[in-house]
Amino acid sequence: MPYALISLLVASVATGWFVLATDASAGSKVLLSAVFMCSLALRFSFPQWELIGLLLQVFLVIGIVLYAKVHP
């Protein structure tokens, strides 16, 4: 099972939801989008940093889920 693909899809959906459907500030939306793009760059441009990019995506999703719990 390609767990890295699952992480990529969940992080993409969660980031898209955060940017498009929340009332968060514009700065936090830009910051979260930049972190997601950085994780993609780490995973696909630098193969030696693939694990760091994967973990960054996992922490990103955890942060978005916590945000969704606090701000319903």
Side-chain angles (χ1 to χ4, degrees):
M1 184 93 195
Y3 295 109
L5 180 62
I6 294 171
S7 170
L8 176 64
L9 292 175
V10 171
S12 299
V13 169
T15 303
W17 173 81
F18 183 82
V19 170
L20 297 175
T22 62
D23 291 332
S25 67
S28 64
K29 290 180 180 184
V30 168
L31 179 66
L32 201 72
S33 298
V35 169
F36 178 68
M37 291 299 176
C38 181
S39 74
L40 288 179
L42 285 174
R43 285 189 62 194
F44 297 114
S45 298
F46 305 104
Q48 68 271 21
W49 293 97
E50 182 177 4
L51 180 61
I52 301 298
L54 179 70
L55 290 175
L56 191 59
Q57 287 179 352
V58 169
F59 290 135
L60 186 71
V61 170
I62 290 171
I64 292 172
V65 168
L66 289 175
Y67 175 83
K69 291 287 184 184
V70 172
H71 298 93

